[in-house]
Amino acid sequence: MRKPQGVAARRAGAAIAALAVVAAALPGEAWAAAADLAALPRDLSPWGMFVNADAVVKTVMVGLAAASLAAWTVWLAKSIELRRSVALARAGLDRLESDATLQQAAADTADQHDAVAQMIHTVEREASLSGGVHDDGFRDRVALRLERVEAAEARRAAIGTGLLASIGAVAPFVGLFGTVWGIMNAFIGISKANTTNLAVVAPGIAEALLATALGLVAAIPAVVIYNHLTRRVSAYRALLGDASAQLLLMIGREAARPPQRARVVR
């Protein structure tokens, strides 16, 4: 029974020697690739990918995160501002739709500075400069003043929407730039490692695709918020147009009223 055991031991020794010869014949690059594979980062969470990303890709990601934060900040600030402006415009429009005269409306809004109050004040100033003469020229001058006030208020209400439009248009391309840069670095790493192992390629490509994802995260809400705020600004401008029409109707009624005759005291 000792002879078979000796044969088995010799065969095992020969197999180990053959493996040693094959391992010694492997090029040094393979051992370097194996070492690089062992040293690759295993944390593929979003934060881990950000920490291990290239400096350029990190800059792109930080910029896209700041753009997304700016978009949500504009949404919050403009929503509060437009809500207040629309409420004041509705209250001013209700005041104009009553039977109040221009003098009464001006007295009621003497200490107010909203858009409708500014319209009332500018009409009253034009009436004062015209000496109370309500002719066709006076109506044209009032319409011009109201148009300028309405345009100025619409521009003020639209402040910030241009930033949203820029973010929605540029953010996907900025994210694409980060993706291209990250994939370039991934291919450079493949070339240095002399291996196409998926474990070598995956981290760099994942970091690159994260930049594209952040670009979409910044762009899509910016576009939606821009469209939402544009509709609200249009509705606000329509309210100002109604207030302008009410003021023109008011001065038209006052021009059609017969002048009051002074009583003669005997």
Side-chain angles (χ1 to χ4, degrees):
M1 296 300 293
R2 293 181 180 178
K3 186 175 181 180
Q5 291 179 355
V7 173
R10 286 195 298 271
R11 289 179 179 177
I16 294 174
L19 290 175
V21 171
V22 172
L26 288 176
E29 289 82 358
W31 292 105
D36 292 339
L37 183 61
L40 286 175
R42 298 298 177 181
D43 185 9
L44 293 182
S45 64
W47 177 251
M49 288 188 288
F50 171 76
V51 171
N52 294 301
D54 183 74
V56 176
V57 181
K58 280 184 180 179
T59 303
V60 169
M61 291 180 182
V62 171
L64 291 173
S68 179
L69 179 62
W72 287 107
T73 303
V74 170
W75 168 77
L76 180 61
K78 297 304 295 185
S79 296
I80 296 173
E81 177 186 346
L82 287 173
R83 182 185 296 273
R84 180 176 180 274
S85 298
V86 168
L88 292 175
R90 291 185 185 277
L93 184 60
D94 293 339
R95 183 183 297 109
L96 293 177
E97 289 178 347
S98 62
D99 295 333
T101 61
L102 179 61
Q103 290 76 16
Q104 292 174 348
D108 294 338
T109 59
D111 57 345
Q112 299 178 10
H113 302 284
D114 58 281
V116 177
Q118 293 181 25
M119 288 181 171
I120 296 173
H121 297 161
T122 192
V123 173
E124 183 193 23
R125 178 171 175 77
E126 184 59 38
S128 176
L129 293 175
S130 300
V133 178
H134 295 74
D135 54 1
D136 293 337
F138 171 73
R139 184 180 180 88
D140 293 338
R141 292 191 298 272
V142 167
L144 180 60
R145 281 179 174 268
L146 292 174
E147 180 181 354
R148 300 314 305 160
V149 172
E150 181 181 347
E153 287 296 318
R155 286 194 301 269
R156 184 189 61 80
I159 293 175
T161 57
L163 176 62
L164 295 174
S166 299
I167 293 174
V170 175
F173 296 101
V174 175
L176 181 61
F177 168 75
T179 299
V180 172
W181 189 275
I183 291 177
M184 287 171 55
N185 288 332
F187 280 114
I188 292 172
I190 293 172
S191 177
K192 291 181 179 179
N194 287 330
T195 179
T196 57
N197 194 308
L198 184 61
V200 178
V201 182
I205 294 180
E207 295 164 7
L209 293 178
L210 181 61
T212 299
L214 288 178
L216 296 177
V217 167
I220 293 174
V223 173
V224 174
I225 294 170
Y226 172 78
N227 293 331
H228 171 69
L229 292 180
T230 300
R231 289 192 299 268
R232 295 197 63 180
V233 170
S234 299
Y236 175 58
R237 187 162 187 172
L239 285 175
L240 298 183
D242 293 341
S244 178
Q246 287 296 326
L247 281 169
L248 290 175
L249 291 174
M250 181 182 292
I251 64 173
R253 287 193 298 266
E254 292 185 359
R257 291 173 184 171
Q260 296 180 356
R261 298 180 179 179
R263 295 182 179 178
V264 179
V265 180
R266 297 182 178 177

